Amino acid sequence: MTDKVDLIPAPARCSRNTAGRTSLGSGTALEARPGTEGVARWLRATVGAATGLPFPEVGEGADRLVLSIEPDLPPEGYRLVGDDGPYRIQGGSAAGVFWGAQTFRQLLGPDAFRRAPVRPGREWDLPRVTVEDSPRFRWRGLMLDVARHFMPKEGVLRYLDLMAAHKLNVFHFHLTDDQGWRVEIRRHPRLTEVASWRARTKFGHRASPLWEEKPHGGYYTQDDIREIVAYAAERHITVVPEIDVPGHSQAAVAAYPELGNTDVIDTTALTVWDTWGISSNVLAPTDTTLRFYEGVFEEVLELFPSEFIHIGGDECRKEQWSESVAAKTRITELGLADEDELQSWFIGHFDKWLTARGRRLIGWDEILEGGLAPGAAVSSWRGYGGGVAAARAGHDVVMCPEQYVYLDHRQAPGEDEPVPIGFVRTLEDVYRFEPVPSQLSEEEVRHVLGTQANVWTEVMEDAARVDYQTFPRLAAFAEVAWSRLPAPQERDFADFERRMAAHYGRLDALGVAYRPPTGPRPWQRRPGVLGRPLEGPPPNR
């Protein structure tokens, strides 16, 4: 870069044009050329609201902002040009124009991130620069777990806006788990009547003696989901839903006991789980279960147009299957060796089912065990190993190793860190994360779709806790996912910190309750709430 601008993610090229600055005022027109109308609506609704500028459609001369699609740019690439003429935001597609508009908003300063003007009538100055950029990865994701602690719809929409501001484009929506079911399925109403709430909640790590002795729950209606998906699409974000099978399913079994291993335990006595960890109450490998979840997925496919559907597939305990006559009979009928192969068969069933409907299955890296259909993809969470194995087997992979980009892990050592979980992962640690495993060949690297940060909410009881764990580290992750950075140890973290100094002002304007660089504020601490800190550096695997 030849001109210092405090942009996050860092652009590939930024250069100064003519001297001086361009001013925007009440007469500045917004010209949306074919294909950019949606970006123009977003600009008027957000930047227009923050600045008080009406951005009329008609105008002439240099006092214009021009949006256009230019075929010489990559699909998600953009070019922002400020000189003596109109200010121009160009993209290889509408998505590229939209990402350019995010850069444009950053150049206006932190007040452009508010919801109403704080200085009505002011003019807004922009540097006369050319910024040209395009993303490194096509999958730049954030996974939000709304099963452990429910996030109301307005909070989800807010997180989509925060993702867009950081040029992230895949929202992995973790909708079901042992502790709650969060999406309306009309043919199975007890999933929301029963499975969407629990009587109480463990406060802190599962070893904590503390409980919140009140019901917790919530779910999204199908119209809520349609709204979320449409809101995301307007921001060029794809929503990938996750419906967990065959493990992490106690909430579903509590609502429909016939889904569980009825010959091993009294499934009618189960409730939605109120603590954390990995429940032994998993789905029974029966035709009843398969038909039930085919019905679930039929409604899910109607709601989510995404190419990928996430089916979980992780951490499925086998104790009940080992004791179940029905499970053993199924293993024999299918000619399988053991319960591990039974899980592989279960995943394979939905792999084929989704493929037949033009979708692609994606699951956590345990689904590799036993083989996958060619179109299936893998979320590599247990380090790099799953991603390496998937790519070498010809499967696409999203890199999200827990030791690096699980944002529920603590951000610093010390007793002030609220409910410390896992390894210390500082802002700099996340900034130095490299998504592509070094041992992959050039051909295998093509299977790395991109990367994703995961936010598991067991110890995040409200939106402020989610903000604290997610930010500012998501800003560092966004730069890793978007920008073509040097090798981890060669990255200029000092420059990133300099740019973050400006970015904190944007986060303040957006109302994000991030962790300050100096440590948690007094009200962000959780003294006396037990966590599970892990000492030392995380294993590099």
Side-chain angles (χ1 to χ4, degrees), residues 32 54 93 150 185 214 230 240 250 264 279 315 347 356 364 377 426 503 526 535:
S93 66
F150 179 65
I185 302 297
K214 67 179 184 180
V240 175
Q250 181 167 326
V264 177
S279 172
E315 297 179 327
I347 298 298
W364 303 110
T426 65
H503 199 65
R526 294 291 187 277
E535 301 303 331

Side-chain angles (χ1 to χ4, degrees), residues 139 142-144 146 170-176 182-183 185 220 225 228-229 238-245 296-297 299-312 354 359-364 379 452:
W139 186 302
L142 172 68
M143 189 226 72
L144 182 62
V146 296
V170 178
F171 179 55
H172 176 167
F173 207 7
H174 184 82
L175 288 163
T176 74
R182 307 295 180 213
V183 57
I185 302 297
Y220 310 102
I225 294 292
I228 288 167
V229 169
T238 299
V239 183
V240 175
E242 180 178 352
I243 306 293
D244 254 309
V245 295
V296 169
F297 281 116
E299 295 192 30
V300 167
L301 296 191
E302 291 174 4
L303 296 170
F304 296 93
S306 54
E307 174 186 3
F308 289 99
I309 303 293
H310 208 292
I311 54 79
L354 289 167
R359 305 297 186 95
R360 294 178 65 187
L361 179 147
I362 185 169
W364 303 110
S379 301
Q452 177 175 292

Side-chain angles (χ1 to χ4, degrees), residues 213-385:
E213 295 286 355
K214 67 179 184 180
H216 177 88
Y219 66 91
Y220 310 102
T221 68
Q222 294 204 354
D223 281 347
D224 289 339
I225 294 292
R226 291 185 181 98
E227 180 184 357
I228 288 167
V229 169
Y231 195 86
E234 289 173 352
R235 287 147 184 78
H236 299 276
I237 295 169
T238 299
V239 183
V240 175
E242 180 178 352
I243 306 293
D244 254 309
V245 295
H248 287 288
S249 298
Q250 181 167 326
V253 176
Y256 291 93
E258 66 271 22
L259 298 175
N261 296 283
T262 57
D263 59 346
V264 177
I265 64 163
D266 177 10
T267 55
T268 64
L270 289 177
T271 59
V272 178
W273 217 21
D274 56 12
T275 189
W276 316 126
I278 307 169
S279 172
S280 59
N281 294 299
V282 302
L283 298 174
T286 63
D287 289 342
T288 297
T289 301
L290 296 180
R291 300 295 87 78
F292 182 97
Y293 273 87
E294 286 170 0
V296 169
F297 281 116
E298 282 176 8
E299 295 192 30
V300 167
L301 296 191
E302 291 174 4
L303 296 170
F304 296 93
S306 54
E307 174 186 3
F308 289 99
I309 303 293
H310 208 292
I311 54 79
D314 62 317
E315 297 179 327
C316 179
R317 292 175 60 174
K318 311 294 196 306
E319 297 97 322
Q320 290 182 1
W321 287 358
S322 298
E323 299 173 24
S324 166
V325 173
K328 289 182 181 300
T329 301
R330 184 65 112 178
I331 288 170
T332 301
E333 289 173 349
L334 295 169
L336 304 176
D338 54 23
E339 289 78 12
D340 289 336
E341 287 195 6
L342 185 62
Q343 180 181 353
S344 179
W345 164 82
F346 198 106
I347 298 298
H349 174 85
F350 288 102
D351 192 353
K352 297 181 184 72
W353 191 91
L354 289 167
T355 299
R357 287 154 182 79
R359 305 297 186 95
R360 294 178 65 187
L361 179 147
I362 185 169
W364 303 110
D365 54 53
E366 287 96 327
I367 70 171
L368 281 167
E369 298 158 9
L372 281 176
V378 169
S379 301
S380 182
W381 75 275
R382 296 179 297 176
Y384 286 101

Side-chain angles (χ1 to χ4, degrees), residues 381 383 400-413 417-427 429-430 454-460 465-466 468-471 473 515 532-539 541:
W381 75 275
C400 48
E402 60 174 330
Q403 308 93 325
Y404 302 94
V405 289
Y406 269 35
L407 301 185
D408 49 308
H409 282 214
R410 57 196 173 127
Q411 302 185 63
E417 210 60 33
V419 200
I421 299 295
F423 295 103
V424 172
R425 294 287 82 190
T426 65
L427 183 67
D429 290 330
V430 175
N454 294 341
V455 180
W456 300 102
T457 62
E458 287 94 336
V459 298
M460 301 179 211
R465 281 287 291 126
V466 175
Y468 179 90
Q469 291 298 135
T470 304
F471 289 98
R473 292 183 296 181
R515 181 190 189 276
R532 185 180 64 94
L534 298 175
E535 301 303 331
R541 54 182 170 87

